[in-house]
Each structure stands twice: as structure tokens, then as C-alpha cells.
Amino acid sequence: MLESLRGKRMMYVGDSLNRGQYVSMVCLESAKSMETTGSLTVFTAADYNATIEFYWAPFLLESNSDDAVIHRVSDRIVRRGSINKHGRHWKGADVVVFNTYLWWMTGLKMKTEDAYRMAMRSMMRWARKNMDPRRTRVFFTSMSPTHAKSGDWGGEPGKNCYNETTPINNATYWGSDSRRSIMQVIGEEFGKSKYPVTFLNITQLSNYRKDAHTSIYKKQWSPLTAEQLANPVSYADCTHWCLPGLQDTWNELLFAKLFYP
């Protein structure tokens, strides 16, 4: 992978799920340096004259959640037609991996599918105007499922991914937190795209992995209360994924699509 990226610039753009995939990727390399400035983190693989970068933009468009550290706001606001605010930092990349999903699902009073469609159109319009398909490969990673409702897989009601140690073995399983309507929007908009965007569909395979989340082992930004400690289910993180783990598989798929399209 790194040999193929020699002399090139690869960039992940999106939210913390994309950051997890980015971290999975940079863990491949030993001789390295990493530098963060605002929303942009740059990993330099010195031996390969390559950079692998992550840019925090959870909506892709400008929003009030754009601070890479302080972005926990209750009322999320997105500015329509504002992708260039972030997009100027993405120009010149040889590989761009976009994602956006989870942040659209809460705190919105607008119709989610319509808002998400707006973001997809903005992303593809930006790629068409600013990227040369002969030089740059553009990918989009589908929604990353959560496992916050154990009832979805026939578990004990009121529980979540905490203490789950085995995958779901039902091949048709699809969690309630993964909106099929959003997948439909992606399919419709990508089908009309004038820029070749490669779709990295990680949703179904990730749906099975209720055992792969950070759960109670995530970094806690504030001390846990006695009540929380007494009930681990209450603070288990069933959104993000352990590394090494599932997101390494996402990057294996990315590798296959990048070099064997």
C-alpha cells in the first residue's frame, strides 16, 4: 500500500469513524511523523515521501461542529452550499476518502434524507470542479452501523454492545440504526454523478460486528460518575471501533478497489 502511495498524498475527510479508518491505515508504517493543525492531521511516511492525512469535517459542509476538538453541540447547524470552506484543504490530493452519516442523524428538525442528499450533491459537484479523475481517485465510505440496541439482534432489552464477544451470525441482519433510506439516497445520487466516485460499502459486513466496538474502553473525556461505573451499559461506546479490528478490513477493501478496480 505504502509503496503504491510513494510520492503521493492520501486524505480521509469526514467524522470520527473516518478518523478511525485513517488511524488503521497509518498504523501500517513505522518510520513516521504526525502533526495536527486545527482540523488537519498530517502523517508523513518519510521513507516513501508520502502523506496520509485526516481532515475533520463531520458534515463535509460548513457547520457549527467544525472544531476538531470542541464540537459537542446540541443544536447542529449546517450551511448549505458551503463545501468550499473545507474543500480548499483537499485540493491536490491523489486519493480522497470521504464519509459522512452519523452527525446527520440527530439534532435536526429538517428531513434527514433531503439534507443528506444536499451533502452528497455538494460533494460530487465539488469533486467535478476541483479534481482531475485522471490523477485523483475519490472514494465514499458508507454508513458505519452502531449497536446500541441489543433488541435488534434478539438480545436482552435495554442492553447494548457491552459484554458482546461474538459476531451476529444471521446473514440477513440489518440494525435499526442503519437507515436504508440513506443508502437509497447514496445510490440515486451516485448513479447521476459526473465524476467517478468509488463506493466503499462497509455497512452490511460491519452490521455483524456487535463485538468489535470500543465499549467501556474508549477514552473518557470527563470522569465517570459512581452511577455510571455501577452500570457499564450506560457509558459503553457502541459507535466507535477497536483497533486493531474491523476498520482494518475497511482498508483492505479500499486497497482492493484502489489498485484492482
mmCIF file of all heavy atoms in Angstrom, residues 200-223:
data_model
loop_
_atom_site.group_PDB
_atom_site.id
_atom_site.type_symbol
_atom_site.label_atom_id
_atom_site.label_comp_id
_atom_site.label_asym_id
_atom_site.label_seq_id
_atom_site.Cartn_x
_atom_site.Cartn_y
_atom_site.Cartn_z
ATOM 1 N N LEU A 200 -17.425 2.585 -1.225
ATOM 2 C CA LEU A 200 -16.862 1.583 -0.335
ATOM 3 C C LEU A 200 -17.959 1.159 0.638
ATOM 4 O O LEU A 200 -18.216 1.836 1.629
ATOM 5 C CB LEU A 200 -15.659 2.170 0.413
ATOM 6 C CG LEU A 200 -14.695 1.191 1.068
ATOM 7 C CD1 LEU A 200 -13.970 0.364 0.011
ATOM 8 C CD2 LEU A 200 -13.688 1.937 1.933
ATOM 9 N N ASN A 201 -18.618 0.058 0.330
ATOM 10 C CA ASN A 201 -19.790 -0.359 1.108
ATOM 11 C C ASN A 201 -19.365 -1.246 2.278
ATOM 12 O O ASN A 201 -19.135 -2.446 2.116
ATOM 13 C CB ASN A 201 -20.786 -1.091 0.208
ATOM 14 C CG ASN A 201 -22.108 -1.327 0.907
ATOM 15 O OD1 ASN A 201 -22.238 -1.130 2.117
ATOM 16 N ND2 ASN A 201 -23.112 -1.738 0.153
ATOM 17 N N ILE A 202 -19.265 -0.637 3.463
ATOM 18 C CA ILE A 202 -18.824 -1.373 4.654
ATOM 19 C C ILE A 202 -19.988 -1.660 5.609
ATOM 20 O O ILE A 202 -19.785 -2.251 6.676
ATOM 21 C CB ILE A 202 -17.720 -0.593 5.388
ATOM 22 C CG1 ILE A 202 -18.150 0.838 5.741
ATOM 23 C CG2 ILE A 202 -16.470 -0.536 4.530
ATOM 24 C CD1 ILE A 202 -18.876 1.004 7.021
ATOM 25 N N THR A 203 -21.202 -1.274 5.234
ATOM 26 C CA THR A 203 -22.312 -1.297 6.184
ATOM 27 C C THR A 203 -22.749 -2.708 6.564
ATOM 28 O O THR A 203 -22.828 -3.052 7.741
ATOM 29 C CB THR A 203 -23.513 -0.502 5.630
ATOM 30 O OG1 THR A 203 -23.071 0.812 5.275
ATOM 31 C CG2 THR A 203 -24.608 -0.403 6.680
ATOM 32 N N GLN A 204 -23.029 -3.547 5.580
ATOM 33 C CA GLN A 204 -23.530 -4.886 5.887
ATOM 34 C C GLN A 204 -22.515 -5.697 6.673
ATOM 35 O O GLN A 204 -22.835 -6.308 7.695
ATOM 36 C CB GLN A 204 -23.902 -5.632 4.597
ATOM 37 C CG GLN A 204 -24.488 -7.014 4.820
ATOM 38 C CD GLN A 204 -25.917 -6.975 5.346
ATOM 39 O OE1 GLN A 204 -26.834 -6.591 4.647
ATOM 40 N NE2 GLN A 204 -26.112 -7.358 6.601
ATOM 41 N N LEU A 205 -21.262 -5.709 6.229
ATOM 42 C CA LEU A 205 -20.248 -6.512 6.924
ATOM 43 C C LEU A 205 -20.012 -6.003 8.343
ATOM 44 O O LEU A 205 -19.712 -6.781 9.256
ATOM 45 C CB LEU A 205 -18.945 -6.553 6.122
ATOM 46 C CG LEU A 205 -18.097 -5.299 5.978
ATOM 47 C CD1 LEU A 205 -17.059 -5.193 7.092
ATOM 48 C CD2 LEU A 205 -17.383 -5.284 4.632
ATOM 49 N N SER A 206 -20.155 -4.683 8.547
ATOM 50 C CA SER A 206 -19.940 -4.110 9.880
ATOM 51 C C SER A 206 -21.138 -4.343 10.790
ATOM 52 O O SER A 206 -20.986 -4.370 12.021
ATOM 53 C CB SER A 206 -19.649 -2.617 9.760
ATOM 54 O OG SER A 206 -18.542 -2.375 8.910
ATOM 55 N N ASN A 207 -22.313 -4.500 10.198
ATOM 56 C CA ASN A 207 -23.515 -4.772 10.982
ATOM 57 C C ASN A 207 -23.370 -6.034 11.831
ATOM 58 O O ASN A 207 -23.939 -6.129 12.919
ATOM 59 C CB ASN A 207 -24.728 -4.912 10.056
ATOM 60 C CG ASN A 207 -25.626 -3.694 10.086
ATOM 61 O OD1 ASN A 207 -26.080 -3.267 11.144
ATOM 62 N ND2 ASN A 207 -25.890 -3.119 8.916
ATOM 63 N N TYR A 208 -22.619 -7.007 11.345
ATOM 64 C CA TYR A 208 -22.478 -8.263 12.078
ATOM 65 C C TYR A 208 -21.616 -8.120 13.338
ATOM 66 O O TYR A 208 -21.698 -8.937 14.245
ATOM 67 C CB TYR A 208 -21.826 -9.329 11.179
ATOM 68 C CG TYR A 208 -22.559 -9.600 9.892
ATOM 69 C CD1 TYR A 208 -21.874 -9.663 8.682
ATOM 70 C CD2 TYR A 208 -23.939 -9.794 9.871
ATOM 71 C CE1 TYR A 208 -22.530 -9.914 7.488
ATOM 72 C CE2 TYR A 208 -24.601 -10.041 8.678
ATOM 73 C CZ TYR A 208 -23.896 -10.099 7.490
ATOM 74 O OH TYR A 208 -24.560 -10.346 6.314
ATOM 75 N N ARG A 209 -20.770 -7.055 13.411
ATOM 76 C CA ARG A 209 -19.728 -6.999 14.417
ATOM 77 C C ARG A 209 -20.137 -6.243 15.685
ATOM 78 O O ARG A 209 -19.521 -5.247 16.070
ATOM 79 C CB ARG A 209 -18.472 -6.393 13.804
ATOM 80 C CG ARG A 209 -17.857 -7.254 12.702
ATOM 81 C CD ARG A 209 -17.501 -8.660 13.167
ATOM 82 N NE ARG A 209 -16.659 -8.659 14.358
ATOM 83 C CZ ARG A 209 -15.331 -8.536 14.328
ATOM 84 N NH1 ARG A 209 -14.697 -8.435 13.174
ATOM 85 N NH2 ARG A 209 -14.657 -8.557 15.458
ATOM 86 N N LYS A 210 -21.139 -6.745 16.355
ATOM 87 C CA LYS A 210 -21.544 -6.163 17.639
ATOM 88 C C LYS A 210 -20.479 -6.343 18.709
ATOM 89 O O LYS A 210 -20.497 -5.694 19.756
ATOM 90 C CB LYS A 210 -22.861 -6.774 18.120
ATOM 91 C CG LYS A 210 -22.822 -8.284 18.378
ATOM 92 C CD LYS A 210 -24.174 -8.790 18.858
ATOM 93 C CE LYS A 210 -24.259 -10.309 18.905
ATOM 94 N NZ LYS A 210 -23.343 -10.954 19.849
ATOM 95 N N ASP A 211 -19.511 -7.202 18.427
ATOM 96 C CA ASP A 211 -18.443 -7.495 19.383
ATOM 97 C C ASP A 211 -17.210 -6.618 19.206
ATOM 98 O O ASP A 211 -16.240 -6.738 19.971
ATOM 99 C CB ASP A 211 -17.999 -8.948 19.200
ATOM 100 C CG ASP A 211 -17.488 -9.203 17.776
ATOM 101 O OD1 ASP A 211 -18.161 -8.755 16.827
ATOM 102 O OD2 ASP A 211 -16.428 -9.826 17.621
ATOM 103 N N ALA A 212 -17.211 -5.718 18.219
ATOM 104 C CA ALA A 212 -15.968 -5.048 17.801
ATOM 105 C C ALA A 212 -15.853 -3.597 18.250
ATOM 106 O O ALA A 212 -14.922 -2.900 17.851
ATOM 107 C CB ALA A 212 -15.848 -5.130 16.277
ATOM 108 N N HIS A 213 -16.785 -3.121 19.078
ATOM 109 C CA HIS A 213 -16.776 -1.710 19.489
ATOM 110 C C HIS A 213 -15.843 -1.456 20.685
ATOM 111 O O HIS A 213 -15.495 -2.376 21.437
ATOM 112 C CB HIS A 213 -18.192 -1.271 19.849
ATOM 113 C CG HIS A 213 -19.116 -1.219 18.681
ATOM 114 N ND1 HIS A 213 -19.090 -0.201 17.746
ATOM 115 C CD2 HIS A 213 -20.096 -2.067 18.270
ATOM 116 C CE1 HIS A 213 -20.022 -0.426 16.831
ATOM 117 N NE2 HIS A 213 -20.645 -1.556 17.122
ATOM 118 N N THR A 214 -15.497 -0.189 20.863
ATOM 119 C CA THR A 214 -14.627 0.181 21.984
ATOM 120 C C THR A 214 -15.325 -0.011 23.327
ATOM 121 O O THR A 214 -14.654 -0.134 24.357
ATOM 122 C CB THR A 214 -14.166 1.644 21.862
ATOM 123 O OG1 THR A 214 -15.309 2.483 21.680
ATOM 124 C CG2 THR A 214 -13.227 1.821 20.697
ATOM 125 N N SER A 215 -16.643 0.002 23.327
ATOM 126 C CA SER A 215 -17.430 -0.268 24.532
ATOM 127 C C SER A 215 -16.950 0.584 25.710
ATOM 128 O O SER A 215 -16.830 1.796 25.591
ATOM 129 C CB SER A 215 -17.376 -1.772 24.839
ATOM 130 O OG SER A 215 -18.189 -2.111 25.921
ATOM 131 N N ILE A 216 -16.617 -0.009 26.838
ATOM 132 C CA ILE A 216 -16.210 0.756 28.021
ATOM 133 C C ILE A 216 -14.731 1.156 27.965
ATOM 134 O O ILE A 216 -14.241 1.848 28.860
ATOM 135 C CB ILE A 216 -16.461 -0.029 29.323
ATOM 136 C CG1 ILE A 216 -15.651 -1.335 29.336
ATOM 137 C CG2 ILE A 216 -17.948 -0.319 29.491
ATOM 138 C CD1 ILE A 216 -15.706 -2.064 30.671
ATOM 139 N N TYR A 217 -14.032 0.759 26.892
ATOM 140 C CA TYR A 217 -12.592 1.006 26.824
ATOM 141 C C TYR A 217 -12.226 2.254 26.030
ATOM 142 O O TYR A 217 -11.050 2.504 25.771
ATOM 143 C CB TYR A 217 -11.888 -0.221 26.246
ATOM 144 C CG TYR A 217 -12.172 -1.456 27.056
ATOM 145 C CD1 TYR A 217 -13.070 -2.419 26.618
ATOM 146 C CD2 TYR A 217 -11.582 -1.632 28.305
ATOM 147 C CE1 TYR A 217 -13.361 -3.540 27.374
ATOM 148 C CE2 TYR A 217 -11.870 -2.752 29.077
ATOM 149 C CZ TYR A 217 -12.756 -3.692 28.609
ATOM 150 O OH TYR A 217 -13.045 -4.795 29.379
ATOM 151 N N LYS A 218 -13.211 3.035 25.644
ATOM 152 C CA LYS A 218 -12.924 4.265 24.922
ATOM 153 C C LYS A 218 -12.315 5.304 25.881
ATOM 154 O O LYS A 218 -12.423 5.189 27.107
ATOM 155 C CB LYS A 218 -14.195 4.835 24.298
ATOM 156 C CG LYS A 218 -15.193 5.390 25.308
ATOM 157 C CD LYS A 218 -16.217 6.296 24.654
ATOM 158 C CE LYS A 218 -15.605 7.628 24.293
ATOM 159 N NZ LYS A 218 -16.563 8.560 23.682
ATOM 160 N N LYS A 219 -11.706 6.332 25.295
ATOM 161 C CA LYS A 219 -11.201 7.427 26.115
ATOM 162 C C LYS A 219 -12.382 8.205 26.686
ATOM 163 O O LYS A 219 -13.301 8.588 25.956
ATOM 164 C CB LYS A 219 -10.334 8.361 25.271
ATOM 165 C CG LYS A 219 -9.826 9.571 26.042
ATOM 166 C CD LYS A 219 -8.952 10.464 25.172
ATOM 167 C CE LYS A 219 -8.473 11.669 25.961
ATOM 168 N NZ LYS A 219 -7.572 12.544 25.171
ATOM 169 N N GLN A 220 -12.371 8.430 27.989
ATOM 170 C CA GLN A 220 -13.431 9.196 28.643
ATOM 171 C C GLN A 220 -12.981 10.655 28.789
ATOM 172 O O GLN A 220 -11.928 10.926 29.358
ATOM 173 C CB GLN A 220 -13.751 8.605 30.023
ATOM 174 C CG GLN A 220 -14.193 7.146 29.981
ATOM 175 C CD GLN A 220 -15.494 6.931 29.222
ATOM 176 O OE1 GLN A 220 -16.339 7.822 29.136
ATOM 177 N NE2 GLN A 220 -15.657 5.739 28.663
ATOM 178 N N TRP A 221 -13.783 11.575 28.272
ATOM 179 C CA TRP A 221 -13.405 12.989 28.274
ATOM 180 C C TRP A 221 -13.697 13.665 29.614
ATOM 181 O O TRP A 221 -13.193 14.740 29.890
ATOM 182 C CB TRP A 221 -14.113 13.710 27.144
ATOM 183 C CG TRP A 221 -13.655 13.217 25.802
ATOM 184 C CD1 TRP A 221 -14.254 12.274 25.018
ATOM 185 C CD2 TRP A 221 -12.468 13.605 25.100
ATOM 186 N NE1 TRP A 221 -13.522 12.047 23.881
ATOM 187 C CE2 TRP A 221 -12.421 12.862 23.900
ATOM 188 C CE3 TRP A 221 -11.440 14.527 25.371
ATOM 189 C CZ2 TRP A 221 -11.389 13.004 22.974
ATOM 190 C CZ3 TRP A 221 -10.417 14.656 24.436
ATOM 191 C CH2 TRP A 221 -10.401 13.913 23.259
ATOM 192 N N SER A 222 -14.513 13.022 30.425
ATOM 193 C CA SER A 222 -14.787 13.539 31.770
ATOM 194 C C SER A 222 -14.922 12.348 32.706
ATOM 195 O O SER A 222 -15.286 11.246 32.280
ATOM 196 C CB SER A 222 -16.065 14.387 31.781
ATOM 197 O OG SER A 222 -17.160 13.663 31.251
ATOM 198 N N PRO A 223 -14.623 12.538 34.002
ATOM 199 C CA PRO A 223 -14.658 11.416 34.951
ATOM 200 C C PRO A 223 -16.038 10.762 35.006
ATOM 201 O O PRO A 223 -17.071 11.441 34.937
ATOM 202 C CB PRO A 223 -14.305 12.078 36.289
ATOM 203 C CG PRO A 223 -13.587 13.335 35.917
ATOM 204 C CD PRO A 223 -14.207 13.798 34.640
#
